[in-house]
Amino acid sequence: MPTTTAVPGAPGVTVLTAEERELLHALGCGLGDAEIAGALALPEHAVAERLDRLLGKLGLRDRAAAIVHAFDCGLVVPGRGPRGPVPAPGTAGGRRTGTAPGPRLRVSVLGPLRTRLAGRPVDVGPVRQQAVLAALALSPGRSVSRRRLLEDVWGREAPDGNVVPVYVYRLRKSLRLGERPDSVIRRDRYGYGLVRGVAEVDAQCVEDLATRSGEAERAGDLSEAVRLCDRALGLFRGEPLAGLPGPLAETERLRLTRRRAALAQRRADLQLRLGRHAEAAAGLSALALEEPLNEPVAAMLMHALRRCGRRAEALAVFDRAGRCLADELGVAPGEALRQARRAVLRGDGAGTGRVRAGTA
């Protein structure tokens, strides 16, 4: 039930839900985002977002003000530490009694592979071993057979012997939680997989944020849809799975790179609909340099520049795209680019600027 942060003798405040109260309590205790995520069984990427919403609800300018507010409300008592420990998930007094703890293992594939266990970075070994972990991380909720791992990680170079069980054993050893060697990677009759509820993968976080962005767009909240796209794009740290070998890594690098481009196009489309033309132009300019043969991106960039009054730059985009298409593919610009050029030349605001972006 909703509750307030007020206690006897403390100033009254906005009504908060139980989760918001726990969040404010954890912040007042001085916990960082990773610690809050672990304490409240939240995905780490969701903590900053929920804190931002809490700050807005309370009318506070930053986290420092929220810490002071937690003291003012009596949630945290000066000189005596927290009024009580942050309720641990699955314990009496916690809001998630009877549920499993939040993710302890975090695998980042949207760049060079990174692994954190209980908030600390972990070295998971040589690149083939990293590729095995990446293959499991990119198969959420599914078991991956030994044969599939050999094909995905080694391809035609698959070695003889039991290399997959050896690598899985080493990963279990590196990623054990406490004294339980099988607590991160499970095995069943179908193969291997990450234990449900223990691992969080940034690629899946992107999909969750994209879904929520679509829901916000359908609800008419375009600003929220843009914000969620921003958060999804912020999870990319460079070339996905950079440096990892194997057919799966090659395929996923291409897929995730295209996913990022589609999200960037979707964000730009939303920004244009909101009249945030300069922001759209900035993002599309960077994307056009990365994907010079992407005609929808070039067309959207031309519309954004036109609406900013930068007609010469918009025409330069058309010329550059036309040269790239001719040199690389031997084709002329398509209808979307030609329409964008006509709108720029007319200079009368004609054309909606809506270019179909990739599915995101």
Side-chain angles (χ1 to χ4, degrees):
M1 293 179 61
T3 184
T4 71
T5 58
V7 298
V13 293
T14 305
V15 173
L16 300 180
T17 64
E19 179 182 273
E20 290 169 336
R21 183 182 175 91
E22 290 179 11
L23 199 59
L24 183 60
H25 178 212
L27 189 62
C29 292
L31 301 186
D33 284 10
E35 294 171 306
I36 294 174
L40 301 185
L42 296 171
E44 187 171 352
H45 74 274
V47 173
E49 175 190 345
R50 299 192 187 196
L51 284 173
D52 288 343
R53 289 185 180 179
L54 180 60
L55 293 177
K57 185 172 184 176
L58 294 173
L60 301 173
R61 66 181 181 279
D62 53 29
R63 296 190 183 196
I67 293 173
V68 172
H69 187 80
F71 279 92
D72 289 343
C73 295
L75 286 178
V76 183
V77 180
R80 290 195 290 155
R83 184 173 291 276
V86 177
T91 61
R95 65 181 175 87
R96 299 176 189 264
T97 301
T99 62
R104 298 290 305 281
L105 172 68
R106 289 184 166 83
V107 183
S108 300
V109 299
L110 301 177
L113 186 78
R114 290 183 184 174
T115 308
R116 298 182 71 85
L117 186 66
R120 297 181 179 180
V122 178
D123 180 357
V124 292
V127 290
R128 294 283 183 187
Q129 193 163 296
Q130 293 178 37
V132 170
L133 177 59
L136 298 178
L138 290 166
S139 302
R142 301 195 304 273
S143 295
V144 186
S145 70
R146 185 185 305 185
R147 173 183 285 276
R148 173 54 64 186
L149 286 171
L150 282 171
E151 293 173 353
D152 286 346
V153 176
W154 283 270
R156 295 181 180 179
E157 302 173 4
D160 296 327
N162 294 324
V163 64
V164 169
V166 169
Y167 277 8
V168 170
Y169 170 78
R170 291 175 180 172
L171 287 169
R172 282 173 168 165
K173 199 171 180 181
S174 299
L175 301 173
R176 68 176 60 186
L177 294 172
E179 297 302 318
R180 296 176 298 158
D182 295 338
S183 60
V184 171
I185 300 176
R186 58 176 173 77
R187 180 180 180 180
D188 56 31
R189 61 176 178 163
Y190 302 107
Y192 303 98
L194 296 181
V195 175
R196 294 177 185 272
V198 169
E200 178 182 87
V201 182
D202 56 357
Q204 185 56 53
C205 294
V206 165
E207 298 308 319
D208 294 342
L209 289 165
T211 297
R212 292 168 55 196
S213 176
E215 292 170 351
E217 180 182 2
R218 288 190 291 274
D221 191 348
L222 300 189
S223 294
E224 177 68 2
V226 168
R227 191 181 71 82
L228 291 167
C229 276
D230 280 336
R231 288 187 61 81
L233 289 166
L235 294 176
F236 287 84
R237 298 176 289 105
E239 182 183 52
L241 300 165
L244 292 194
L248 177 68
E250 292 177 7
T251 301
E252 286 298 299
R253 256 193 296 275
L254 179 60
R255 182 184 72 83
L256 292 169
T257 298
R258 288 175 173 171
R259 190 72 175 110
R260 176 179 174 273
L263 280 168
Q265 287 177 247
R266 175 172 165 181
R267 178 182 64 181
D269 177 68
L270 292 165
Q271 288 169 330
L272 288 173
R273 291 159 62 186
L274 285 167
R276 292 156 59 172
H277 307 140
E279 293 178 35
L284 289 168
S285 294
L287 186 58
L289 291 176
E290 296 172 12
E291 302 198 3
L293 299 177
N294 191 322
E295 292 189 69
V297 168
M300 290 179 73
L301 176 57
M302 290 180 67
H303 285 298
L305 291 170
R306 170 175 62 84
R307 293 177 177 185
C308 291
R310 297 155 62 180
R311 298 177 66 245
E313 293 176 62
L315 293 173
V317 170
F318 180 88
D319 293 339
R320 184 170 63 246
R323 286 194 301 270
C324 287
L325 290 166
D327 293 344
E328 298 294 329
L329 303 178
V331 299
E335 177 57 28
L337 272 173
R338 295 198 301 270
Q339 182 183 10
R341 183 174 183 270
R342 289 194 294 269
V344 174
L345 291 174
R346 282 196 298 266
D348 58 0
T352 65
R354 292 295 302 276
V355 178
R356 183 177 177 80
T359 301

